[in-house]
Amino acid sequence: MTHRTKLPTYAYLAGTAALALVLHAFPASAKEPQAQAGGAMATLAQLGVEISGMDPNDPIMSKEEFDAGTKIYFERCAGCHGVLRKGATGKALTTDITIGHGFDYLRDFITYGSPAGMPNWGTSGELTEDEIAMMAKYLMIEPPAPPEWGMPEMQASWQVLVKPEDRPKEKMNDIDLDNLMSVTLRDSGQIALIDGGTYDIRAVIDTGYAVHISRISASGRYLFVIGRDGLVNMIDLWMETPANVAQIKIGIEARSVETSKFAGYEDRYAIAGGYWPPQYVIMDGETLEPLKIVSTRGNVYDEQVYHPEPRVASIVSSHNNPEFIVNVKETGKILFVDYTDLKNLKTVEVEAERFLHDGGFDSTKRYFLVAANQRGKIAVVDTKEDKLTALIETGGQIPHPGRGANFTHPVYGPVWATSHLGDETVALVGTDPEGNADHAWKIVDTFPALGGGSLFIKTHPNSKHLYVDATFNPDAEISAAAAVFDIDKMGGNPDEDPEFVTLPIVEWAGITEGQPRVVQPEFNKEGTEVWFSVWNAKDKESAIVVVDDKTLELKKVIKDKGLITPTGKFNVLNTQKDIY
C-alpha cells in the first residue's frame, strides 16, 4: 500500500503560545532591557499585543515571538540542550537557571558564544540582534512540550514512492558508487550527491531539515538519511538519477538511522532513533514500513530516578551479532537490540555513563567506543559479548569524536582518537588488548589541536595524517581552518606534544563574506583526498574544499549555487564498511 500523506515539519508548533502562560520577568528588547529577573516586567500592553481573554498587564511574550522562538530553538538549540531544556551536550536551560542569569547574560552568551563549544550565534551572523533578544526572553519561559508521535502518526507519514518491484534490477548509471559523497545541505533541507572522481554534483535530493547523518545499506545500494525533523529518506543509488523511493517521519526531532548488516540480515531492517519522542523504531529495510516502536523513557542508570526525555543518540549495526547498538543519551544506557525476532524482542541493557552521544568502532570492529560527553568519558563495549569493557576519562571537556579515528601509533600501537567540543585537546585510547595489553582501554596520550569547538576527527587506513576541525570555535580564524598531524612523528614523550600543520581551508575556498566554518574532514574511497565543508550562512556562498592527503595542498574547490550550507559528508564505501 502506498501512503501519500505528508505532514508539515513544524506542525507541532501550532498553539504553543498558550504555554507561555507561565509568567516570568524579561525585558522588551535587547537595546532597552527593562529588567533582570526579579525586576520590572514587560507586559502585553508594553509589547503592544492583544490576546483574547488575557489581562494586558500580564507579563508575557507575544504569540508571534513565542512561535518564532520555538522554531529557532528547535532548529538551533534543542540538539544540545534538549527539547525540555534539561541539558546533555549543552548545559541545562530550565527556568530555575535562566531566570537567575537574567536577560543581559543570556543575550550576551547567545551573541558571543564560548570556546567551550557554545556557538557565537550573533557575531557569526547566524541570528540577528532582534532574534537573539527574542531568544533570551524565550529561555526565561517554560518550554512547550511537543506531542507524542506513535504508530498512527508514522503510518500517516509513511510513503512508498517507488515499490520494490518497480525499482531497477541492476545499476542504471555510470556513477562509481563507492566513491560517491552524500553531502548534507543543512538549511535547504536537501542532500547533494557528489562524484568523488569528477567532483560533479550528480543529484540534489529533497530530504528532511538539517540531515544529521547518511548511512548506507549493507549491500551498498540504498542510502538512508535522517533530518533533525525526524524525516527518514531512503534513496536508491541504482536509479539512472538516484532518488527517494520511500520516506517516513519517525518523530518530531531525531538524529540517527542505521541498517542491519549481520550476515543473513543484510538490508532486511532499518532503525531510526528519536530525540522527541524518546524512542526508536525498527522498519522494513526495503519500504520503511514501521514495524516496532520502543520507548526509551525510564530511570537514569546511576541515580535511579525517572527521566522524561532519554534521547536516542548514535546507533550502529553490529558486525558480530544480529543486533543494533542503541545509545540512550540521558539515562547512560547502551542497548543491544536483537532484531532476529521483533515479536519477542530481546534487549541487553548495559549501564555505561551519561550523556551518551556519538562514537564508532575500533579497527577490528569488535569494540564500540562512544562519548559520554558531559561526563568527559568514553564508554567501551564488547559487541561480541554484549558487555561493558571500560569507562575512560579523557581529561578533556565534552569529547565529540564523530565516529572517531583509528590508526597505529608508532609507540602505543592501535589507538582510537577523539577531539573535544569544550577544549583544544585530542585524546588517544589504546584499543589492542591482545597485542598491547598495557595500553588497552587507557588514555595513552593527549595533545592540543587548534582550539575548542571541534566536532570531528578523521584519518584513513591509507593515510599517515590525522585531521581535526574546530567548527564551533568563536574565533573566526580558528573555525576557518583545520589541524593536521603527522602520525609517524607522534612520539611517546609526554612532555613533547606533536606539532600540527594548519590548513587555511576558508582562505583556499576564496570566501570573504560571513563567518564560514570548516567542518567534518571526510576521505574519498582510496584515502588519498580529504574533503572539508565550508559552512556559511544560508544567504552566503559556501563550498567544498578537497585537499591532497600526501602533499597537504589544495586540490579542488567545489562551488555551486545549489551548495547551500554544506555540513556533513559521507563517502559511500567508508560509511558502508565502517572505515574511519
Side-chain angles (χ1 to χ4, degrees), residues 37-84:
M41 297 181 287
T43 65
L44 287 173
Q46 289 170 327
L47 291 171
V49 175
E50 293 183 7
I51 298 180
S52 177
M54 293 192 62
D55 187 327
N57 293 315
D58 279 340
I60 194 171
M61 292 179 74
S62 70
K63 179 183 183 302
E64 291 76 14
E65 279 189 308
F66 190 84
D67 287 350
T70 301
K71 184 174 184 292
I72 290 174
Y73 184 84
F74 169 80
E75 293 180 347
R76 304 294 186 184
C77 316
C80 286
H81 299 285
V83 171
L84 302 181

Side-chain angles (χ1 to χ4, degrees), residues 239-250:
M239 298 173 73
E240 186 173 354
T241 300
N244 285 315
V245 293
Q247 67 180 43
I248 187 173
K249 186 171 169 60
I250 64 98

Side-chain angles (χ1 to χ4, degrees), residues 41 63 111 125 148 265 293-294 301 305 313 457 459 495 556:
M41 297 181 287
K63 179 183 183 302
T111 300
E148 298 299 316
Y265 291 90
I293 303 172
V294 181
Y301 89 94
V305 296
I457 187 168
T459 188
D495 297 324
K556 178 73 174 179

Side-chain angles (χ1 to χ4, degrees), residues 110-149:
I110 296 169
T111 300
Y112 298 106
S114 79
M118 170 68 180
N120 51 323
W121 296 113
T123 55
S124 68
E126 292 283 343
L127 296 178
T128 67
E129 183 178 331
D130 288 343
E131 287 174 328
I132 289 170
M134 178 178 66
M135 293 310 297
K137 293 185 286 186
Y138 178 83
L139 291 179
M140 289 189 281
I141 292 176
E142 291 291 334
E148 298 299 316
W149 195 272

Side-chain angles (χ1 to χ4, degrees), residues 224-260:
F224 295 79
V225 299
I226 187 164
R228 289 181 55 183
D229 56 2
L231 186 65
V232 179
N233 291 90
M234 180 180 179
I235 297 161
D236 189 351
L237 299 179
W238 281 13
M239 298 173 73
E240 186 173 354
T241 300
N244 285 315
V245 293
Q247 67 180 43
I248 187 173
K249 186 171 169 60
I250 64 98
I252 304 297
E253 188 185 6
R255 292 294 187 282
S256 49
V257 67
E258 182 60 289
T259 67
S260 53

Side-chain angles (χ1 to χ4, degrees), residues 70 114 120 128 215 223 271 281 300 306 313 328 386 439 444 518 538:
T70 301
S114 79
N120 51 323
T128 67
R215 290 292 179 259
L223 171 68
I271 183 174
V281 56
V300 299
Y306 180 77
V328 186
D386 292 1
H439 304 311
V444 296
V518 174
K538 185 176 181 179

